[in-house]
Amino acid sequence: MSASYSTQNKIAIVWDFDKTLIPGYMQQPIFEKFEIDEPLFWEEVNTMAERYKQRGYTVSGESVYLNHILTYARAGKMPGLNNKMLRQLGKEIVFYEGLPHFFEELRELTRSRPEYVRHDIQLEHYIVTTGLAEMVRGSAIAPYVDGIWGSEFIENPLQPGYLDQDDLEIESEDIISQIGTMIDNTTKTRALFEINKGANKNETIDVNAKMAAEDRRIPFQNMIYIADGPSDVPSFSVIRKFGGKAYAVYKPGNDAEFEQNDVLLQTDRIHAYGPARYSSESNTSMWLRMHVHKICQRIVTDREAYLTQRVAKPPKHLKDEAAPLPEDQLEQDTLDLD
């Protein structure tokens, strides 16, 4: 039996985080804990690339904000900031209405009809964010998620000559000091291909390796990507190009974000958009439920059609041919027909 029939029965819902699942930025609890002026911090970040350019440096947007957090920590404005603290602060993240329950509601749809259960259809949730992975891991949404891509920090980095040193227990306070992983709006697309090929579930699969469509764990047509705007255009484009669904959300009541999403729709970047509300009666929830059902129905149809083509009909007994009727009987039957 082909891999496509036996394995391609999974659906992936891929979520952005900031302004998609929450109203603002996940770093807010950090600023509140250390009494940092949040608007000033982001103003510094937003103007920093140009300031560095004037000084002859070229920097990427996402590295700027991560490095600025490290600068604040080194300057003593975020004392003791480490990964454990980031995960604890993640508990303070406040989600949009309907979350995290809506994640489980979507997952339950794959068990809502006998034919879905018969084909063992499964739905997985993934978060791909330029924010901090440790904060997502500590948040209320984490138990409902099958994978997280996000930026990460390193504590106590290895020092020059560490290969020649024995492991010694050194009592020191763990403080973030280097960037371990940086996710930006372009490298988000790599996460989509990892989900598509199954590299996130099987470490022996190289995401850059060539792989036939029927061998991929989750086809793009079984994916829905949800995010808040133009910065996610690269991911929207990948999803649309390969047959998945792209959906944008806006903060309820925000005219500028509504207009921004409408531009994305008019320029064929997304399939639809709606408010970032995830209660059962919201437009966004209804749209997502509808398309999860449509994906489930297509999976059922494709798998049953494949099974019909591949499985031969069993042999059966043939009836003996009927003996010819006598002429007088044939004549009588003919007369009766009149």
Side-chain angles (χ1 to χ4, degrees):
M1 189 171 289
S2 76
S4 61
Y5 177 80
S6 61
T7 63
Q8 290 187 322
N9 59 347
K10 295 176 177 61
I11 301 169
I13 311 295
V14 186
W15 303 84
D16 179 36
F17 197 89
D18 293 339
K19 296 190 174 183
T20 298
L21 298 176
I22 64 175
Y25 295 102
M26 68 172 72
Q27 296 84 5
Q28 182 179 350
I30 302 175
F31 302 135
E32 291 177 349
K33 177 177 177 59
F34 296 109
E35 299 181 348
I36 302 297
D37 185 335
E38 181 176 2
L40 176 61
F41 177 91
W42 292 119
E43 182 181 357
E44 291 172 346
V45 167
N46 292 333
T47 59
M48 196 168 288
E50 180 60 30
R51 187 67 62 87
Y52 276 130
K53 183 178 180 180
Q54 294 171 4
R55 297 171 63 181
Y57 301 113
T58 300
V59 296
S60 67
E62 302 308 330
S63 68
V64 164
Y65 106 82
L66 294 171
N67 277 321
H68 207 39
I69 289 177
L70 293 176
T71 300
Y72 265 68
R74 284 194 296 269
K77 294 183 178 295
M78 296 179 180
L81 184 61
N82 56 28
N83 287 316
K84 181 180 179 181
M85 186 183 296
L86 288 174
R87 187 173 292 210
Q88 291 173 337
L89 290 172
K91 296 178 181 179
E92 300 179 19
I93 295 174
V94 178
F95 288 87
Y96 270 123
E97 177 187 1
L99 296 174
H101 173 73
F102 182 62
F103 273 32
E104 192 59 26
E105 181 182 340
L106 286 179
R107 205 187 303 270
E108 286 292 333
L109 292 181
T110 64
R111 298 186 281 270
S112 64
R113 299 183 183 178
E115 61 269 31
Y116 300 170
V117 175
R118 184 168 66 249
H119 287 276
D120 193 27
I121 299 176
Q122 300 171 23
L123 185 146
E124 299 173 350
H125 290 286
Y126 295 99
I127 290 175
V128 182
T129 176
T130 59
L132 304 177
E134 280 298 329
M135 295 197 72
V136 179
R137 294 186 186 114
S139 73
I141 209 80
Y144 302 88
V145 171
D146 297 276
I148 298 168
W149 282 260
S151 299
E152 306 204 36
F153 291 116
I154 295 173
E155 304 163 352
N156 295 324
L158 297 172
Q159 299 299 309
Y162 77 91
L163 290 175
D164 299 324
Q165 298 174 358
D166 294 330
D167 289 335
L168 299 175
E169 291 188 9
I170 302 176
E171 292 187 5
S172 62
E173 188 177 8
D174 292 328
I175 304 293
I176 58 170
S177 54
Q178 290 184 359
I179 298 172
T181 300
M182 184 186 74
I183 301 292
D184 61 25
N185 294 312
T186 301
T187 56
K188 278 185 174 186
T189 59
R190 177 186 173 93
L192 297 178
F193 280 101
E194 290 183 6
I195 296 167
N196 168 239
K197 293 184 177 182
N200 60 314
K201 298 293 184 179
N202 185 342
E203 62 183 14
T204 65
I205 297 175
D206 187 331
V207 71
N208 294 313
K210 186 175 181 180
M211 179 180 287
E214 64 268 19
D215 293 330
R216 302 188 180 205
R217 185 172 182 269
I218 305 181
F220 279 105
Q221 63 180 348
N222 290 5
M223 291 189 191
I224 302 175
Y225 185 81
I226 303 105
D228 67 290
S231 62
D232 284 278
V233 164
S235 295
F236 284 145
S237 298
V238 168
I239 289 290
R240 284 183 58 94
K241 178 180 178 180
F242 295 106
K245 294 296 182 182
Y247 189 86
V249 296
Y250 60 89
K251 187 175 183 179
N254 189 309
D255 291 342
E257 291 186 13
F258 178 90
E259 182 177 355
Q260 177 177 272
N261 284 354
D262 192 64
V263 170
L264 291 175
L265 180 65
Q266 300 305 323
T267 55
D268 293 326
R269 301 293 190 174
I270 58 175
H271 291 98
Y273 65 91
R277 289 195 188 98
Y278 303 100
S279 54
S280 295
E281 73 281 0
S282 75
N283 292 354
T284 294
S285 297
M286 293 171 66
W287 191 94
L288 290 171
R289 287 198 304 270
M290 176 181 69
H291 282 280
V292 167
H293 273 301
K294 286 187 175 183
I295 295 172
C296 288
Q297 290 161 6
R298 178 176 42 75
I299 291 173
V300 169
T301 300
D302 290 349
R303 285 163 64 89
E304 291 184 350
Y306 176 86
L307 191 59
T308 299
Q309 293 174 358
R310 299 290 294 180
V311 178
K313 293 182 179 180
K316 61 181 180 180
H317 293 290
L318 299 177
K319 293 182 180 179
D320 294 333
E321 292 186 8
L325 293 171
E327 288 188 14
D328 59 342
Q329 183 65 51
L330 179 60
E331 182 179 359
Q332 179 64 44
D333 289 344
T334 305
L335 291 173
D336 290 343
L337 291 174
D338 294 337

